Amino acid sequence: MIVRVLGSAAGGGVPQWNCACANCSAARAGRRPTRSQSSIAVSTDGARWLLLNCSPDVAAQIEAFAPLHPRQPRDTPIAGMLFTDANVDHLGGLTVLRQHGTHGFVLRSSAAVRAIAVAQPAFAPFARPPHRWLEAPLDALCAPVDAEELVGRQLTVRAIPVAGTTPGYDGRRHVRGAVVALEIRALRESARLLFAPVFADIDDALRAAIEAADVAFLDGSFYSDDELVAQGLASKSARSLGHQPVGGPNGTLARLRGIRTRIVFTHLNNSNPMLDPDSEAHARVRELGAEIAFDAMELVL
Ligand SMILES: [Zn+2]
Ligand SMILES: [Zn+2]
């Protein structure tokens, strides 16, 4: 299984257009790499690709990665998409892919996410032909696209409900399946990838999925619960926005101490001190053997 990080930032990216915080300023000045909004692409053969979330930066992300380029007029190697939740930074890229012509995408999400998304006029066309927006049943295996696409590829997906709510535009409701982690298995290589860019807590099911994965991309939005407030950027805590912080006594690093899975933090908010390689937060992450995703990072499982 080939995994390509298309984008590694939370909503807004780094730099964010209206932000001159230390991280955004460093990226804008070219002292650190810029980051587009979080999404990864997965393939077993390098020819057909699945996107895990589809960020508003998808057009630039496609251009930055040759295997996603069209090979003839009006063509795309992107077969389908899987969504973890209905946040605009995770499916807003659909509005960029309106010029699909006759190419139909197969999209999969929880029933809850599909219902929220297709109620929005901008996303509704993706539930109609030539597309199919299928339900990813919670906690059951399903095919990422369809059986025909899967011949010789043998990828399966499991959507694991995690702690979280529907997006702000839907009222932050507590609904089962509002946020899921996606477990992708390539049966032939027995490789297992977990993509969990958003979670408010690590419950037993998420912990078990992290332990079972070869590589787990985890929510790296915030290092501390109060960093937005402390930096004067916003009045909300990480947890109130549905993100468990990476650091602190109840943070992800503390909770996963001793785990053997390769952990890669992604979906980094521009407020996150982990983005500064000289910070203590960055050192803590590396100390525990975890990594920080970057745009264009590539792994082979
Ligand atoms: Zn996001
Ligand atoms: Zn900033």
Side-chain angles (χ1 to χ4, degrees):
M1 186 179 349
I2 311 163
V3 180
R4 164 87 175 198
V5 175
L6 300 179
S8 57
V14 189
Q16 180 173 311
W17 66 277
N18 62 346
C19 189
C21 74
N23 286 327
C24 288
S25 300
R28 198 171 276 123
R31 293 196 301 275
R32 284 202 226 124
T34 60
R35 292 166 182 272
S36 61
Q37 296 171 93
S38 166
S39 169
I40 66 175
V42 174
S43 179
T44 52
D45 58 7
R48 306 277 292 167
W49 291 81
L50 282 172
L51 301 190
L52 276 55
N53 290 341
C54 182
S55 99
D57 299 318
V58 68
Q61 292 170 342
I62 289 170
E63 294 309 323
F65 185 44
L68 296 184
H69 292 175
R71 278 156 241 158
Q72 49 186 319
R74 300 293 192 266
D75 166 58
T76 179
I78 301 170
M81 295 155 206
L82 303 164
F83 299 107
T84 56
D85 57 79
N87 274 291
V88 172
D89 59 315
H90 299 171
L91 46 73
L94 289 176
T95 63
V96 177
L97 304 179
R98 288 190 314 276
Q99 297 80 10
H100 50 75
T102 54
H103 179 85
F105 291 114
V106 181
L107 306 94
R108 269 199 193 268
S109 71
S110 69
V113 166
R114 183 178 57 184
I116 296 164
V118 303
Q120 308 299 318
F123 306 134
F126 288 89
R128 296 195 291 264
H131 311 294
R132 282 177 300 150
W133 195 318
L134 309 175
E135 179 184 345
L138 299 177
D139 262 331
L141 292 182
C142 66
V145 277
D146 63 29
E148 204 178 314
E149 302 277 0
L150 274 172
V151 172
R153 296 183 176 86
Q154 297 292 315
L155 277 180
T156 62
V157 176
R158 186 165 65 107
I160 302 154
V162 299
T165 65
T166 65
Y169 73 80
D170 185 67
R172 297 203 183 280
R173 293 180 299 126
H174 288 268
V175 181
R176 192 168 147 83
V179 187
V180 303
L182 294 167
E183 182 187 75
I184 315 290
R185 289 188 221 177
L187 299 180
R188 207 165 32 179
E189 299 112 335
S190 71
R192 205 182 283 214
L193 168 76
L194 187 75
F195 184 64
V198 180
F199 52 82
D201 188 24
I202 298 180
D203 59 16
D204 292 345
L206 179 56
R207 189 184 169 91
I210 295 169
E211 281 175 344
D214 297 294
V215 178
F217 283 86
L218 300 183
D219 186 340
S221 307
F222 301 102
Y223 187 75
S224 26
D225 195 36
D226 69 344
E227 73 193 38
L228 286 174
V229 180
Q231 294 178 46
L233 299 173
S235 56
K236 288 187 166 151
S237 69
R239 290 184 196 279
S240 76
L241 291 167
H243 298 286
Q244 173 169 286
V246 172
N250 278 315
T252 303
L253 286 177
R255 304 274 296 276
L256 296 182
R257 196 177 293 276
I259 211 155
R260 301 160 90 103
T261 305
R262 180 173 174 188
I263 302 291
V264 184
F265 287 106
T266 192
H267 194 272
L268 292 117
N269 195 58
N270 53 67
S271 58
N272 193 326
M274 286 156 57
L275 292 176
D276 177 357
D278 298 324
S279 70
E280 199 190 310
H282 191 279
R284 285 276 157 78
V285 170
R286 301 296 298 152
E287 223 170 73
L288 285 171
E291 297 163 63
I292 297 170
F294 53 90
D295 290 25
M297 182 183 197
E298 233 172 277
L299 319 173
V300 179
L301 275 70

